[in-house]
Amino acid sequence: MSELEQAFHDLVIANRILAHQSVVDAYGHVSMRHPTNPERFLLSRSRSPELVEERDIMEFTLDGKVVGDDRRPPYLERFIHGGIYEARPDVNGVVHSHAEETLPFGISETPLKAVIHVASSIGATVPVWDISEKFGDNTNLLVVNQEQGRDLAKRIAQGRVALMRGHGFAAAGATIQDVVRLSVYLPVNARVMSAAMSMGKFKPLASGELESRGHFNPKAPESFRAWEYWARRAGVGHLLGAMP
Ligand SMILES: [Zn+2]
């Protein structure tokens, strides 16, 4: 199987995992950088992730323009993906989600912190991007142009994820497996932190603990373990490539 064929399979798997794990619903999306052309990325046409198939995948330039004469409607918020790929050559997978558990931390004074070991890759504190800071109070909160995508990418900076005020989150990973894993555990982390806060004080991960977990290798066999497990549960185990 060619690198591109496996990329299409992986992108379908990522869509199905995120839907099955309730990270995305009718809305939300996941993309990957084109495996042989870093100036392009792959993303489904405007379709709910649970329904995405290989033939839905479209190709875009980093400024969100459709490649070729593909006339199918793309996602309005594709600029989230292009903005991040443009700013971060180390990023090869991007997820955008409206996961409810993360929303309180985007609209309150309480910062979302890493509190469980599986979410250590989110960093000590997740920054919040508020679209109104630069684009005023009259947007529809969606990221609908490259300027907004670039501004969001700036808030992520060299990190992995930013919350989007009143909207959701955008996450970046070295591989598509890496960003899917982070996106599965980010809402879990938010849920655990909210539950702990209702009990009183809580203890986030210490900086040394974040550091010692910071060397997650997305290509390691233990990373494939979660990817394979989630893919099989989501009904797309037949699309998995060779085990590393
Ligand atoms: Zn959105």
Side-chain angles (χ1 to χ4, degrees):
M1 190 183 300
S2 77
E3 209 177 346
L4 188 59
E5 283 169 328
Q6 188 57 52
F8 272 59
H9 283 192
D10 286 345
L11 190 49
V12 172
I13 292 171
N15 273 275
R16 304 300 188 85
I17 289 175
L18 292 170
H20 187 252
Q21 296 290 320
S22 302
V23 178
V24 294
D25 51 14
Y27 301 99
H29 23 85
V30 51
S31 70
M32 68 187 292
R33 197 187 288 273
H34 194 290
T36 59
N37 185 348
E39 295 304 312
R40 292 181 181 178
F41 66 94
L42 306 171
L43 178 69
S44 171
R45 69 184 170 100
S46 181
R47 200 172 192 208
S48 297
E50 185 163 314
L51 309 175
V52 166
E53 299 173 48
E54 267 181 82
R55 60 171 174 267
D56 295 316
I57 295 170
M58 300 172 70
E59 195 173 320
F60 298 88
T61 53
L62 298 191
D63 57 1
K65 294 198 179 79
V66 179
V67 172
D69 57 1
D70 195 333
R71 292 179 186 275
R72 297 175 294 175
Y75 294 120
L76 290 176
E77 293 195 284
R78 60 193 179 278
F79 304 99
I80 293 172
H81 303 262
I84 296 172
Y85 290 127
E86 193 183 76
R88 291 280 298 275
D90 60 315
V91 165
N92 293 300
V94 171
V95 168
H96 170 54
S97 152
H98 302 161
E100 185 181 323
E101 301 94 324
T102 66
L103 297 177
F105 299 95
I107 60 173
S108 67
E109 300 278 290
T110 304
L112 179 59
K113 291 178 172 293
V115 293
I116 53 175
H117 78 289
V118 284
S120 57
S121 61
I122 68 175
T125 302
V126 179
V128 177
W129 178 71
D130 181 350
I131 194 169
S132 71
E133 278 178 30
K134 184 160 182 194
F135 302 98
D137 289 335
N138 294 313
T139 71
N140 60 4
L141 283 111
L142 304 182
V143 177
V144 293
N145 60 51
Q146 190 69 1
E147 198 190 352
Q148 292 172 340
R150 284 179 182 142
D151 196 53
L152 169 61
K154 244 188 242 170
R155 185 55 48 92
I156 296 174
Q158 290 309 302
R160 306 285 308 279
V161 56
L163 302 180
M164 301 159 74
R165 195 262 305 166
H167 183 169
F169 71 83
T175 62
I176 191 150
Q177 290 85 355
D178 185 28
V179 73
V180 165
R181 183 179 186 278
L182 183 151
S183 302
V184 168
Y185 286 124
L186 181 74
V188 177
N189 184 93
R191 202 154 59 229
V192 171
M193 186 173 152
S194 296
M197 282 173 64
S198 71
M199 297 174 188
K201 283 190 183 168
F202 69 94
K203 185 170 180 175
L205 299 190
S207 58
E209 290 167 343
L210 290 167
E211 191 67 24
S212 65
R213 298 272 315 170
H215 307 294
F216 172 75
N217 173 9
K219 288 182 179 147
E222 61 268 26
S223 312
F224 187 79
R225 178 167 132 190
W227 180 251
E228 180 188 29
Y229 169 72
W230 287 324
R232 289 201 187 281
R233 294 196 71 186
V236 284
H238 61 286
L239 298 179
L240 287 162
M243 199 179 280

